[in-house]
Amino acid sequence: MKAKLEKIQASALADLHKVKTAAALEEWHVQYLGRKQGQMTEIMKSLGSLSIEEKREMGPKANETKKQLDAAYDSKKSELESSAGGGIDVTLPPTMPPQGHVHLVTQTIRDITDIFKRIGFTRVRHPEVEWDQYAFEGLNMPQGHPARDDWETFFITPEEATGKSMLLTPHTSNGQVREMEKGQLPIRMINISKCYRRQADVTHTQMFHQFEGLYIDENVSIQHLKGVMDYFAKSFFGPKREIRLRPFHFKFTEPSFEIDITCGLCYGKGCKFCKEGWVELGGSGMVHPNVLKAGKVPAGYSGFAFGWGVERVA
């Protein structure tokens, strides 16, 4: 082994002297010092098969030889960089600094948009500063409804001053009547926007994001609603997830449903997080006739709506 080690050292130094380019230097490094097939790597691996006496003799020599070749490699590398003008080629494009990643809410909005786009839903945009007519009145929420209380909604102009109230929209449902008023049927729309409510605790913030879906056409039924919700759940959360529609009450849909999804930790078996295997996802239902009337939708058309927080989905 001693003779083999001396031969490798002599050969390596001789070959290194012939190296003229950075590419050739890397080939030399792989041949002699490479981690997988380098000749010195093979020598170091073979030390384990030697006797104790041979290890005591050859171990230090092998380590010393490797250090010498490492030093020779570093020296040659510096020499090549100096001859190339410090290793900087001003004609090459610069190395750009890392740019981080897209915010989680932004990524979720993009994913939601892409999922619904595949089944014909178009993303629309409607005002975040809205009139009471679109945020409440047109959605079958009469005067005196709790959501219209000053402690629930950020009002900008009171009704007494202008005859109608302006507010920061508390939900993306304001886009429903606005979209119907366009008179372009059928409707398949997704409205994703910031919403504002006067709530602030561990699970609520005063500004958050929602997405609203609205589908209006002839002969739309609850089967269509369940099919779209099941498609979204499996597309976003995974093919193993299941949904259920649980009867609920919303003023702008009838019948109304809360949408639950099987827990992502136990897949419906029940665990400490979900208790019974299901987690609440959001609200949905068939569009209330009064809302269709407010949007001037002609007879013979029906539809469903759904929506919940983007942060909750994320």
Side-chain angles (χ1 to χ4, degrees), residues 64-83:
E64 182 62 27
T65 300
K66 187 175 183 305
K67 288 181 180 179
Q68 291 178 3
L69 294 183
D70 282 333
Y73 168 79
D74 292 338
S75 177
K76 190 69 175 182
K77 185 176 181 179
S78 298
E79 178 186 333
L80 293 176
E81 290 177 350
S82 298
S83 62

Side-chain angles (χ1 to χ4, degrees), residues 111 113-121 231 235:
D111 292 343
T113 303
D114 290 342
I115 287 171
F116 282 103
K117 182 179 179 180
R118 294 198 291 267
I119 55 174
F121 281 74
Y231 160 78
S235 298

